[in-house]
Amino acid sequence: MNLFFRDILGPFKIFEGIYARIRRIVVPPKAYSWQTLLYLSIFSWLMASLSTGYITDIIAICGWLFLIAGTAWYTTDNPLYIPYTNMPVGAVITGFLVSVFAFGQDKDVITSRTMVLWPTIAAIITAIPEFFEGTGTDVKTQVPRIEERQKIIVLIACCMVISCWLQFYFVVDNWVTKYPSVQVDNSKRSALVLRRESTVKVPPNGIVILDKLVPQVEDQIAKKPWSEVEQWLLDARKKVGDLGKQVIGTNLAEYEERYLWHVEPRISNVKSGYKLDLLSIWVGPSANPNGYYLKKSCRIDPMAVSRNTAAAAVKKLDDTSTIAEIECDRTPPKFILGTPPPQ
Amino acid sequence: MPEYSFLPRIVPLGVILLDFLFLLVAIPIEALIMNRRLKFDKRTSSFYAICINLFSSVIGWIIFFFMEPMLPVRFKSELIDYIFFNQIRYAYNIQTLIILTAFIIFFATFLVKYLLLRVMLISLREPGKNEQVSEPIIKRNSRRNYKSKLQNTNVITSLLIGNALSYSLIVMILFIRAAYV
């Protein structure tokens, strides 16, 4: 009978054990302990969420300070070291909190700077206790022994190097943002970077340039007298280049890669008129050593003006009786690898 | 079309590993030379070598991070080309610039390492003993002074030799990499 009861009560014993353990963690053993600080921090946050204005900020800062102090205290109670180093795990956690507190913005809690400075701050937090001696109540400063000093300096140096590597990651990531066209065609792999398979096959900025450029070129040619258009075509390199610069300046302003795009025309005779190819050429980094370009073709043909529509024009000169008609591809631009053909 | 993935777009793991390899090459060489020429014991010389190399690497990175936004786009484009696609186009006379940069980096590193060694020597000094040691030196005659000067030149030569050796090995590693990768 007794045994039976013990069997039934067995699971409850387990709960009892868990309850005791939780109780030991949650209930502070004395007023002056790390749990108190954590509760103070939670309390400050509650208060901060209720209050408004700059009082919120002040109380929130208090909450952060309590949280950091509590974590630091808890983790220094029984230090657990990262294998093969003299850095306690606690310093890493406290370092993260300090970093978030110092560099986190309101909108995104974890910024790149938080991540970059985390190791360095953690190392400095590891180093601070070495300069103090004694218990919590009476503290005096000291200079640590030579071996301790060597360990601390090496630790700080290593952590700073790691910080630099993290920062370099963010620099490279920023390059991809500013130069989106480098994501095109990464068939050739470099051992220096690991990258995801990109889904971008055609540079979007090149398409944007041509799509905005074509209507402007059409404006300058369509319905103009044929002789004027021929003059324009003789000077096309400069005209198209200027239009291209303007289009790139307005549409690609947010990208640094705008200096690496430029626009050129290619003109060839066809039986009735001219063929105008507009090229947006990428001169920046790409897997293909010869680079690539995008092309959109237009056909320019002379068109006789019928008498009733242009009765006024006929009165002036014979030349005006033919006007130009331009028709560009409606399909997306062609993406071509290699150097563009010479004019 | 924003695509969401928790994987980062690009990780410069190779660059980081290469930097780590450079440190692994440079630290033992300089530790060895300091041990042989300056008669530090093994522990101290490795400490000095580790510190001056790590801190000079940090200083170099910081200078790079400050310079990077100011670089002209064409140089940045070459840099991206090298890091992303492992190629250099050699446009815009970039070779002369690379050689000039390498030259500046070599002497700047040497200078920074010398200053760092000075700082490290101070950092390991016992604060109490400091005055006791410095007083007799002033009282001694010029021969002692000459000797300390000699020691200083010895430090400079050792650092220069160590720096030159480690950089030659690093350049060799880069050439081997360029030939086989």
PDB file of all heavy atoms in Angstrom, chain A residues 149-150 164-165 169 173 175 177 188 190 192 194-196 199 256 286, chain B residues 3 7-11 14 19 43 68 76 83-84 87 89 123 125:
ATOM      1  N   ARG A 149      48.259  40.671 -16.701  1.00  0.00           N
ATOM      2  CA  ARG A 149      48.226  41.781 -17.656  1.00  0.00           C
ATOM      3  C   ARG A 149      48.429  41.279 -19.083  1.00  0.00           C
ATOM      4  O   ARG A 149      47.724  41.674 -20.000  1.00  0.00           O
ATOM      5  CB  ARG A 149      49.331  42.779 -17.318  1.00  0.00           C
ATOM      6  CG  ARG A 149      48.803  44.042 -16.687  1.00  0.00           C
ATOM      7  CD  ARG A 149      49.919  44.983 -16.441  1.00  0.00           C
ATOM      8  NE  ARG A 149      50.564  44.733 -15.171  1.00  0.00           N
ATOM      9  CZ  ARG A 149      51.744  45.237 -14.830  1.00  0.00           C
ATOM     10  NH1 ARG A 149      52.412  46.001 -15.663  1.00  0.00           N
ATOM     11  NH2 ARG A 149      52.261  44.978 -13.660  1.00  0.00           N
ATOM     12  N   GLN A 150      49.386  40.359 -19.234  1.00  0.00           N
ATOM     13  CA  GLN A 150      49.623  39.811 -20.582  1.00  0.00           C
ATOM     14  C   GLN A 150      48.361  39.144 -21.109  1.00  0.00           C
ATOM     15  O   GLN A 150      47.945  39.387 -22.251  1.00  0.00           O
ATOM     16  CB  GLN A 150      50.752  38.794 -20.534  1.00  0.00           C
ATOM     17  CG  GLN A 150      52.109  39.420 -20.349  1.00  0.00           C
ATOM     18  CD  GLN A 150      53.212  38.391 -20.397  1.00  0.00           C
ATOM     19  OE1 GLN A 150      52.959  37.191 -20.320  1.00  0.00           O
ATOM     20  NE2 GLN A 150      54.432  38.853 -20.522  1.00  0.00           N
ATOM     21  N   CYS A 164      36.988  43.889 -35.884  1.00  0.00           N
ATOM     22  CA  CYS A 164      37.322  44.393 -37.213  1.00  0.00           C
ATOM     23  C   CYS A 164      36.776  43.473 -38.291  1.00  0.00           C
ATOM     24  O   CYS A 164      36.267  43.931 -39.312  1.00  0.00           O
ATOM     25  CB  CYS A 164      38.827  44.519 -37.367  1.00  0.00           C
ATOM     26  SG  CYS A 164      39.494  45.872 -36.442  1.00  0.00           S
ATOM     27  N   TRP A 165      36.872  42.163 -38.069  1.00  0.00           N
ATOM     28  CA  TRP A 165      36.358  41.233 -39.079  1.00  0.00           C
ATOM     29  C   TRP A 165      34.855  41.389 -39.234  1.00  0.00           C
ATOM     30  O   TRP A 165      34.332  41.367 -40.355  1.00  0.00           O
ATOM     31  CB  TRP A 165      36.707  39.795 -38.688  1.00  0.00           C
ATOM     32  CG  TRP A 165      38.162  39.484 -38.804  1.00  0.00           C
ATOM     33  CD1 TRP A 165      39.099  40.223 -39.502  1.00  0.00           C
ATOM     34  CD2 TRP A 165      38.882  38.397 -38.225  1.00  0.00           C
ATOM     35  NE1 TRP A 165      40.333  39.641 -39.376  1.00  0.00           N
ATOM     36  CE2 TRP A 165      40.235  38.526 -38.602  1.00  0.00           C
ATOM     37  CE3 TRP A 165      38.513  37.321 -37.425  1.00  0.00           C
ATOM     38  CZ2 TRP A 165      41.208  37.619 -38.207  1.00  0.00           C
ATOM     39  CZ3 TRP A 165      39.483  36.419 -37.041  1.00  0.00           C
ATOM     40  CH2 TRP A 165      40.802  36.560 -37.423  1.00  0.00           C
ATOM     41  N   TYR A 169      32.676  42.472 -42.573  1.00  0.00           N
ATOM     42  CA  TYR A 169      31.483  41.839 -43.124  1.00  0.00           C
ATOM     43  C   TYR A 169      30.445  42.896 -43.484  1.00  0.00           C
ATOM     44  O   TYR A 169      29.869  42.864 -44.583  1.00  0.00           O
ATOM     45  CB  TYR A 169      30.893  40.820 -42.135  1.00  0.00           C
ATOM     46  CG  TYR A 169      29.453  40.510 -42.424  1.00  0.00           C
ATOM     47  CD1 TYR A 169      29.102  39.738 -43.523  1.00  0.00           C
ATOM     48  CD2 TYR A 169      28.436  41.045 -41.652  1.00  0.00           C
ATOM     49  CE1 TYR A 169      27.788  39.492 -43.831  1.00  0.00           C
ATOM     50  CE2 TYR A 169      27.120  40.806 -41.952  1.00  0.00           C
ATOM     51  CZ  TYR A 169      26.802  40.036 -43.042  1.00  0.00           C
ATOM     52  OH  TYR A 169      25.488  39.815 -43.353  1.00  0.00           O
ATOM     53  N   ASP A 173      28.890  43.823 -47.142  1.00  0.00           N
ATOM     54  CA  ASP A 173      27.449  43.788 -47.341  1.00  0.00           C
ATOM     55  C   ASP A 173      26.952  45.117 -47.895  1.00  0.00           C
ATOM     56  O   ASP A 173      26.091  45.160 -48.771  1.00  0.00           O
ATOM     57  CB  ASP A 173      26.784  43.480 -46.002  1.00  0.00           C
ATOM     58  CG  ASP A 173      25.335  43.099 -46.169  1.00  0.00           C
ATOM     59  OD1 ASP A 173      25.092  42.069 -46.807  1.00  0.00           O
ATOM     60  OD2 ASP A 173      24.462  43.839 -45.688  1.00  0.00           O
ATOM     61  N   TRP A 175      28.698  47.068 -49.768  1.00  0.00           N
ATOM     62  CA  TRP A 175      29.086  47.123 -51.186  1.00  0.00           C
ATOM     63  C   TRP A 175      27.998  46.504 -52.060  1.00  0.00           C
ATOM     64  O   TRP A 175      27.671  47.028 -53.112  1.00  0.00           O
ATOM     65  CB  TRP A 175      30.386  46.348 -51.412  1.00  0.00           C
ATOM     66  CG  TRP A 175      31.610  47.071 -50.988  1.00  0.00           C
ATOM     67  CD1 TRP A 175      31.708  48.389 -50.655  1.00  0.00           C
ATOM     68  CD2 TRP A 175      32.929  46.526 -50.823  1.00  0.00           C
ATOM     69  NE1 TRP A 175      32.992  48.679 -50.297  1.00  0.00           N
ATOM     70  CE2 TRP A 175      33.756  47.561 -50.394  1.00  0.00           C
ATOM     71  CE3 TRP A 175      33.475  45.253 -50.998  1.00  0.00           C
ATOM     72  CZ2 TRP A 175      35.105  47.382 -50.139  1.00  0.00           C
ATOM     73  CZ3 TRP A 175      34.806  45.067 -50.750  1.00  0.00           C
ATOM     74  CH2 TRP A 175      35.619  46.126 -50.321  1.00  0.00           C
ATOM     75  N   THR A 177      24.910  46.380 -51.439  1.00  0.00           N
ATOM     76  CA  THR A 177      23.769  47.301 -51.504  1.00  0.00           C
ATOM     77  C   THR A 177      24.043  48.444 -52.469  1.00  0.00           C
ATOM     78  O   THR A 177      23.167  48.847 -53.224  1.00  0.00           O
ATOM     79  CB  THR A 177      23.493  47.876 -50.103  1.00  0.00           C
ATOM     80  OG1 THR A 177      23.531  46.805 -49.186  1.00  0.00           O
ATOM     81  CG2 THR A 177      22.158  48.549 -50.044  1.00  0.00           C
ATOM     82  N   LYS A 188      31.486  32.611 -61.673  1.00  0.00           N
ATOM     83  CA  LYS A 188      32.894  32.467 -61.306  1.00  0.00           C
ATOM     84  C   LYS A 188      33.010  32.722 -59.812  1.00  0.00           C
ATOM     85  O   LYS A 188      32.698  33.786 -59.325  1.00  0.00           O
ATOM     86  CB  LYS A 188      33.706  33.503 -62.077  1.00  0.00           C
ATOM     87  CG  LYS A 188      35.183  33.334 -61.919  1.00  0.00           C
ATOM     88  CD  LYS A 188      35.859  34.328 -62.828  1.00  0.00           C
ATOM     89  CE  LYS A 188      37.335  34.357 -62.598  1.00  0.00           C
ATOM     90  NZ  LYS A 188      37.939  35.426 -63.391  1.00  0.00           N
ATOM     91  N   SER A 190      34.791  33.197 -56.213  1.00  0.00           N
ATOM     92  CA  SER A 190      36.030  33.642 -55.601  1.00  0.00           C
ATOM     93  C   SER A 190      36.160  32.956 -54.255  1.00  0.00           C
ATOM     94  O   SER A 190      35.183  32.798 -53.542  1.00  0.00           O
ATOM     95  CB  SER A 190      36.009  35.151 -55.436  1.00  0.00           C
ATOM     96  OG  SER A 190      37.012  35.542 -54.547  1.00  0.00           O
ATOM     97  N   LEU A 192      37.564  34.171 -51.817  1.00  0.00           N
ATOM     98  CA  LEU A 192      37.625  35.170 -50.755  1.00  0.00           C
ATOM     99  C   LEU A 192      36.263  35.461 -50.134  1.00  0.00           C
ATOM    100  O   LEU A 192      36.189  35.981 -49.042  1.00  0.00           O
ATOM    101  CB  LEU A 192      38.220  36.469 -51.294  1.00  0.00           C
ATOM    102  CG  LEU A 192      39.696  36.400 -51.649  1.00  0.00           C
ATOM    103  CD1 LEU A 192      40.162  37.701 -52.241  1.00  0.00           C
ATOM    104  CD2 LEU A 192      40.524  36.075 -50.438  1.00  0.00           C
ATOM    105  N   LEU A 194      32.082  33.983 -49.535  1.00  0.00           N
ATOM    106  CA  LEU A 194      31.031  32.987 -49.693  1.00  0.00           C
ATOM    107  C   LEU A 194      29.785  33.757 -50.052  1.00  0.00           C
ATOM    108  O   LEU A 194      29.466  34.741 -49.407  1.00  0.00           O
ATOM    109  CB  LEU A 194      30.777  32.269 -48.372  1.00  0.00           C
ATOM    110  CG  LEU A 194      31.797  31.296 -47.848  1.00  0.00           C
ATOM    111  CD1 LEU A 194      31.288  30.740 -46.538  1.00  0.00           C
ATOM    112  CD2 LEU A 194      31.999  30.180 -48.838  1.00  0.00           C
ATOM    113  N   ARG A 195      29.072  33.305 -51.081  1.00  0.00           N
ATOM    114  CA  ARG A 195      27.836  34.039 -51.369  1.00  0.00           C
ATOM    115  C   ARG A 195      26.720  33.098 -51.775  1.00  0.00           C
ATOM    116  O   ARG A 195      26.941  31.998 -52.226  1.00  0.00           O
ATOM    117  CB  ARG A 195      28.076  35.080 -52.440  1.00  0.00           C
ATOM    118  CG  ARG A 195      28.865  34.583 -53.610  1.00  0.00           C
ATOM    119  CD  ARG A 195      28.618  35.444 -54.753  1.00  0.00           C
ATOM    120  NE  ARG A 195      29.619  36.470 -54.944  1.00  0.00           N
ATOM    121  CZ  ARG A 195      29.431  37.454 -55.792  1.00  0.00           C
ATOM    122  NH1 ARG A 195      28.329  37.560 -56.445  1.00  0.00           N
ATOM    123  NH2 ARG A 195      30.373  38.322 -55.982  1.00  0.00           N
ATOM    124  N   ARG A 196      25.525  33.604 -51.562  1.00  0.00           N
ATOM    125  CA  ARG A 196      24.351  32.842 -51.920  1.00  0.00           C
ATOM    126  C   ARG A 196      24.195  32.855 -53.438  1.00  0.00           C
ATOM    127  O   ARG A 196      24.589  33.803 -54.102  1.00  0.00           O
ATOM    128  CB  ARG A 196      23.126  33.484 -51.287  1.00  0.00           C
ATOM    129  CG  ARG A 196      22.426  32.582 -50.356  1.00  0.00           C
ATOM    130  CD  ARG A 196      21.124  33.154 -49.915  1.00  0.00           C
ATOM    131  NE  ARG A 196      21.222  34.430 -49.237  1.00  0.00           N
ATOM    132  CZ  ARG A 196      20.246  35.335 -49.291  1.00  0.00           C
ATOM    133  NH1 ARG A 196      19.187  35.116 -50.012  1.00  0.00           N
ATOM    134  NH2 ARG A 196      20.357  36.465 -48.631  1.00  0.00           N
ATOM    135  N   THR A 199      19.639  35.270 -57.574  1.00  0.00           N
ATOM    136  CA  THR A 199      18.529  35.058 -58.481  1.00  0.00           C
ATOM    137  C   THR A 199      18.503  36.138 -59.551  1.00  0.00           C
ATOM    138  O   THR A 199      17.711  36.081 -60.478  1.00  0.00           O
ATOM    139  CB  THR A 199      17.196  35.085 -57.715  1.00  0.00           C
ATOM    140  OG1 THR A 199      17.195  36.264 -56.912  1.00  0.00           O
ATOM    141  CG2 THR A 199      17.055  33.883 -56.820  1.00  0.00           C
ATOM    142  N   GLU A 256      25.887  53.865 -55.521  1.00  0.00           N
ATOM    143  CA  GLU A 256      27.203  54.390 -55.851  1.00  0.00           C
ATOM    144  C   GLU A 256      27.666  53.869 -57.207  1.00  0.00           C
ATOM    145  O   GLU A 256      28.569  54.418 -57.821  1.00  0.00           O
ATOM    146  CB  GLU A 256      28.187  53.958 -54.774  1.00  0.00           C
ATOM    147  CG  GLU A 256      29.249  54.969 -54.487  1.00  0.00           C
ATOM    148  CD  GLU A 256      29.959  54.638 -53.197  1.00  0.00           C
ATOM    149  OE1 GLU A 256      30.921  53.882 -53.247  1.00  0.00           O
ATOM    150  OE2 GLU A 256      29.531  55.134 -52.139  1.00  0.00           O
ATOM    151  N   SER A 286      32.800  42.488 -62.711  1.00  0.00           N
ATOM    152  CA  SER A 286      31.888  41.427 -63.111  1.00  0.00           C
ATOM    153  C   SER A 286      32.687  40.153 -63.324  1.00  0.00           C
ATOM    154  O   SER A 286      33.899  40.184 -63.490  1.00  0.00           O
ATOM    155  CB  SER A 286      31.138  41.781 -64.385  1.00  0.00           C
ATOM    156  OG  SER A 286      31.943  41.544 -65.494  1.00  0.00           O
TER     157      SER A 286
ATOM    158  N   GLU B   3      13.743  39.294 -51.259  1.00  0.00           N
ATOM    159  CA  GLU B   3      13.673  37.894 -50.862  1.00  0.00           C
ATOM    160  C   GLU B   3      14.216  37.782 -49.453  1.00  0.00           C
ATOM    161  O   GLU B   3      15.243  38.358 -49.122  1.00  0.00           O
ATOM    162  CB  GLU B   3      14.454  37.026 -51.835  1.00  0.00           C
ATOM    163  CG  GLU B   3      15.868  37.486 -52.060  1.00  0.00           C
ATOM    164  CD  GLU B   3      16.663  36.439 -52.780  1.00  0.00           C
ATOM    165  OE1 GLU B   3      16.600  35.286 -52.352  1.00  0.00           O
ATOM    166  OE2 GLU B   3      17.334  36.774 -53.751  1.00  0.00           O
ATOM    167  N   LEU B   7      20.061  33.626 -44.123  1.00  0.00           N
ATOM    168  CA  LEU B   7      21.465  33.563 -44.509  1.00  0.00           C
ATOM    169  C   LEU B   7      21.901  34.930 -44.991  1.00  0.00           C
ATOM    170  O   LEU B   7      21.165  35.598 -45.713  1.00  0.00           O
ATOM    171  CB  LEU B   7      21.649  32.557 -45.651  1.00  0.00           C
ATOM    172  CG  LEU B   7      21.565  31.090 -45.260  1.00  0.00           C
ATOM    173  CD1 LEU B   7      21.548  30.252 -46.513  1.00  0.00           C
ATOM    174  CD2 LEU B   7      22.756  30.720 -44.408  1.00  0.00           C
ATOM    175  N   PRO B   8      23.104  35.364 -44.605  1.00  0.00           N
ATOM    176  CA  PRO B   8      23.579  36.640 -45.150  1.00  0.00           C
ATOM    177  C   PRO B   8      23.849  36.515 -46.646  1.00  0.00           C
ATOM    178  O   PRO B   8      24.108  35.413 -47.143  1.00  0.00           O
ATOM    179  CB  PRO B   8      24.851  36.900 -44.366  1.00  0.00           C
ATOM    180  CG  PRO B   8      25.236  35.613 -43.773  1.00  0.00           C
ATOM    181  CD  PRO B   8      24.013  34.779 -43.644  1.00  0.00           C
ATOM    182  N   ARG B   9      23.764  37.658 -47.337  1.00  0.00           N
ATOM    183  CA  ARG B   9      23.957  37.649 -48.780  1.00  0.00           C
ATOM    184  C   ARG B   9      25.358  37.228 -49.143  1.00  0.00           C
ATOM    185  O   ARG B   9      25.595  36.525 -50.112  1.00  0.00           O
ATOM    186  CB  ARG B   9      23.727  39.056 -49.346  1.00  0.00           C
ATOM    187  CG  ARG B   9      22.313  39.472 -49.364  1.00  0.00           C
ATOM    188  CD  ARG B   9      22.189  40.770 -50.061  1.00  0.00           C
ATOM    189  NE  ARG B   9      22.685  41.859 -49.220  1.00  0.00           N
ATOM    190  CZ  ARG B   9      22.529  43.132 -49.526  1.00  0.00           C
ATOM    191  NH1 ARG B   9      21.934  43.458 -50.646  1.00  0.00           N
ATOM    192  NH2 ARG B   9      22.983  44.083 -48.741  1.00  0.00           N
ATOM    193  N   ILE B  10      26.296  37.744 -48.365  1.00  0.00           N
ATOM    194  CA  ILE B  10      27.688  37.529 -48.731  1.00  0.00           C
ATOM    195  C   ILE B  10      28.526  37.555 -47.459  1.00  0.00           C
ATOM    196  O   ILE B  10      28.289  38.363 -46.566  1.00  0.00           O
ATOM    197  CB  ILE B  10      28.122  38.609 -49.735  1.00  0.00           C
ATOM    198  CG1 ILE B  10      29.461  38.258 -50.312  1.00  0.00           C
ATOM    199  CG2 ILE B  10      28.116  39.993 -49.159  1.00  0.00           C
ATOM    200  CD1 ILE B  10      29.642  38.854 -51.677  1.00  0.00           C
ATOM    201  N   VAL B  11      29.438  36.619 -47.338  1.00  0.00           N
ATOM    202  CA  VAL B  11      30.301  36.562 -46.163  1.00  0.00           C
ATOM    203  C   VAL B  11      31.754  36.546 -46.632  1.00  0.00           C
ATOM    204  O   VAL B  11      32.139  35.667 -47.383  1.00  0.00           O
ATOM    205  CB  VAL B  11      30.030  35.298 -45.328  1.00  0.00           C
ATOM    206  CG1 VAL B  11      30.901  35.298 -44.087  1.00  0.00           C
ATOM    207  CG2 VAL B  11      28.582  35.203 -44.946  1.00  0.00           C
ATOM    208  N   GLY B  14      36.773  34.175 -46.795  1.00  0.00           N
ATOM    209  CA  GLY B  14      38.125  33.980 -47.306  1.00  0.00           C
ATOM    210  C   GLY B  14      39.059  35.090 -46.875  1.00  0.00           C
ATOM    211  O   GLY B  14      40.217  34.839 -46.515  1.00  0.00           O
ATOM    212  N   ASP B  19      43.480  36.869 -43.502  1.00  0.00           N
ATOM    213  CA  ASP B  19      44.032  37.756 -42.473  1.00  0.00           C
ATOM    214  C   ASP B  19      44.549  36.934 -41.294  1.00  0.00           C
ATOM    215  O   ASP B  19      45.643  37.182 -40.773  1.00  0.00           O
ATOM    216  CB  ASP B  19      42.934  38.732 -42.021  1.00  0.00           C
ATOM    217  CG  ASP B  19      43.482  39.823 -41.126  1.00  0.00           C
ATOM    218  OD1 ASP B  19      44.612  40.257 -41.384  1.00  0.00           O
ATOM    219  OD2 ASP B  19      42.799  40.222 -40.177  1.00  0.00           O
ATOM    220  N   ARG B  43      58.392  33.274 -23.649  1.00  0.00           N
ATOM    221  CA  ARG B  43      57.041  33.715 -23.322  1.00  0.00           C
ATOM    222  C   ARG B  43      56.872  35.202 -23.631  1.00  0.00           C
ATOM    223  O   ARG B  43      55.910  35.616 -24.298  1.00  0.00           O
ATOM    224  CB  ARG B  43      56.785  33.441 -21.839  1.00  0.00           C
ATOM    225  CG  ARG B  43      55.350  33.650 -21.442  1.00  0.00           C
ATOM    226  CD  ARG B  43      55.208  33.612 -19.934  1.00  0.00           C
ATOM    227  NE  ARG B  43      53.987  34.282 -19.573  1.00  0.00           N
ATOM    228  CZ  ARG B  43      52.825  33.668 -19.450  1.00  0.00           C
ATOM    229  NH1 ARG B  43      52.734  32.389 -19.657  1.00  0.00           N
ATOM    230  NH2 ARG B  43      51.731  34.352 -19.135  1.00  0.00           N
ATOM    231  N   GLU B  68      37.731  53.790 -46.668  1.00  0.00           N
ATOM    232  CA  GLU B  68      36.901  53.108 -47.662  1.00  0.00           C
ATOM    233  C   GLU B  68      35.798  53.993 -48.243  1.00  0.00           C
ATOM    234  O   GLU B  68      35.641  54.035 -49.470  1.00  0.00           O
ATOM    235  CB  GLU B  68      36.339  51.827 -47.037  1.00  0.00           C
ATOM    236  CG  GLU B  68      35.595  50.921 -47.968  1.00  0.00           C
ATOM    237  CD  GLU B  68      34.110  51.137 -47.935  1.00  0.00           C
ATOM    238  OE1 GLU B  68      33.588  51.671 -46.930  1.00  0.00           O
ATOM    239  OE2 GLU B  68      33.477  50.807 -48.925  1.00  0.00           O
ATOM    240  N   LYS B  76      37.649  51.531 -55.817  1.00  0.00           N
ATOM    241  CA  LYS B  76      36.746  50.651 -55.082  1.00  0.00           C
ATOM    242  C   LYS B  76      36.257  49.538 -55.999  1.00  0.00           C
ATOM    243  O   LYS B  76      36.135  48.388 -55.573  1.00  0.00           O
ATOM    244  CB  LYS B  76      35.564  51.478 -54.586  1.00  0.00           C
ATOM    245  CG  LYS B  76      35.178  51.180 -53.162  1.00  0.00           C
ATOM    246  CD  LYS B  76      33.872  51.812 -52.890  1.00  0.00           C
ATOM    247  CE  LYS B  76      33.936  52.734 -51.729  1.00  0.00           C
ATOM    248  NZ  LYS B  76      32.629  53.277 -51.415  1.00  0.00           N
ATOM    249  N   ILE B  83      38.031  41.145 -54.700  1.00  0.00           N
ATOM    250  CA  ILE B  83      37.480  40.356 -53.598  1.00  0.00           C
ATOM    251  C   ILE B  83      36.336  39.467 -54.067  1.00  0.00           C
ATOM    252  O   ILE B  83      36.232  38.313 -53.668  1.00  0.00           O
ATOM    253  CB  ILE B  83      37.028  41.295 -52.460  1.00  0.00           C
ATOM    254  CG1 ILE B  83      38.273  41.881 -51.794  1.00  0.00           C
ATOM    255  CG2 ILE B  83      36.201  40.565 -51.426  1.00  0.00           C
ATOM    256  CD1 ILE B  83      37.981  42.923 -50.771  1.00  0.00           C
ATOM    257  N   PHE B  84      35.491  39.980 -54.957  1.00  0.00           N
ATOM    258  CA  PHE B  84      34.320  39.198 -55.369  1.00  0.00           C
ATOM    259  C   PHE B  84      34.644  38.223 -56.500  1.00  0.00           C
ATOM    260  O   PHE B  84      34.095  37.141 -56.543  1.00  0.00           O
ATOM    261  CB  PHE B  84      33.194  40.131 -55.840  1.00  0.00           C
ATOM    262  CG  PHE B  84      32.427  40.784 -54.735  1.00  0.00           C
ATOM    263  CD1 PHE B  84      33.025  41.041 -53.523  1.00  0.00           C
ATOM    264  CD2 PHE B  84      31.109  41.145 -54.914  1.00  0.00           C
ATOM    265  CE1 PHE B  84      32.334  41.649 -52.506  1.00  0.00           C
ATOM    266  CE2 PHE B  84      30.397  41.752 -53.897  1.00  0.00           C
ATOM    267  CZ  PHE B  84      31.009  42.003 -52.701  1.00  0.00           C
ATOM    268  N   GLN B  87      39.924  38.837 -59.533  1.00  0.00           N
ATOM    269  CA  GLN B  87      40.624  39.291 -60.727  1.00  0.00           C
ATOM    270  C   GLN B  87      40.888  40.788 -60.615  1.00  0.00           C
ATOM    271  O   GLN B  87      40.188  41.506 -59.912  1.00  0.00           O
ATOM    272  CB  GLN B  87      39.797  39.013 -61.984  1.00  0.00           C
ATOM    273  CG  GLN B  87      38.495  39.779 -61.991  1.00  0.00           C
ATOM    274  CD  GLN B  87      37.561  39.288 -63.072  1.00  0.00           C
ATOM    275  OE1 GLN B  87      37.905  38.397 -63.807  1.00  0.00           O
ATOM    276  NE2 GLN B  87      36.400  39.879 -63.149  1.00  0.00           N
ATOM    277  N   ARG B  89      41.616  44.126 -63.153  1.00  0.00           N
ATOM    278  CA  ARG B  89      41.563  44.512 -64.559  1.00  0.00           C
ATOM    279  C   ARG B  89      42.785  45.290 -65.011  1.00  0.00           C
ATOM    280  O   ARG B  89      43.008  45.488 -66.184  1.00  0.00           O
ATOM    281  CB  ARG B  89      40.344  45.394 -64.800  1.00  0.00           C
ATOM    282  CG  ARG B  89      39.168  44.601 -65.256  1.00  0.00           C
ATOM    283  CD  ARG B  89      37.940  45.359 -64.867  1.00  0.00           C
ATOM    284  NE  ARG B  89      36.958  44.428 -64.384  1.00  0.00           N
ATOM    285  CZ  ARG B  89      35.910  44.059 -65.105  1.00  0.00           C
ATOM    286  NH1 ARG B  89      35.719  44.571 -66.281  1.00  0.00           N
ATOM    287  NH2 ARG B  89      35.076  43.197 -64.633  1.00  0.00           N
ATOM    288  N   SER B 123      53.645  48.899 -20.625  1.00  0.00           N
ATOM    289  CA  SER B 123      52.493  48.262 -19.994  1.00  0.00           C
ATOM    290  C   SER B 123      52.916  47.124 -19.077  1.00  0.00           C
ATOM    291  O   SER B 123      52.195  46.776 -18.150  1.00  0.00           O
ATOM    292  CB  SER B 123      51.524  47.747 -21.055  1.00  0.00           C
ATOM    293  OG  SER B 123      51.986  46.534 -21.567  1.00  0.00           O
ATOM    294  N   ARG B 125      55.701  47.132 -17.253  1.00  0.00           N
ATOM    295  CA  ARG B 125      56.596  47.588 -16.199  1.00  0.00           C
ATOM    296  C   ARG B 125      55.865  47.613 -14.860  1.00  0.00           C
ATOM    297  O   ARG B 125      54.677  47.923 -14.806  1.00  0.00           O
ATOM    298  CB  ARG B 125      57.074  49.008 -16.564  1.00  0.00           C
ATOM    299  CG  ARG B 125      58.394  49.368 -15.927  1.00  0.00           C
ATOM    300  CD  ARG B 125      58.775  50.749 -16.346  1.00  0.00           C
ATOM    301  NE  ARG B 125      59.318  50.817 -17.692  1.00  0.00           N
ATOM    302  CZ  ARG B 125      59.370  51.949 -18.389  1.00  0.00           C
ATOM    303  NH1 ARG B 125      58.869  53.064 -17.884  1.00  0.00           N
ATOM    304  NH2 ARG B 125      59.894  51.959 -19.577  1.00  0.00           N
TER     305      ARG B 125
END
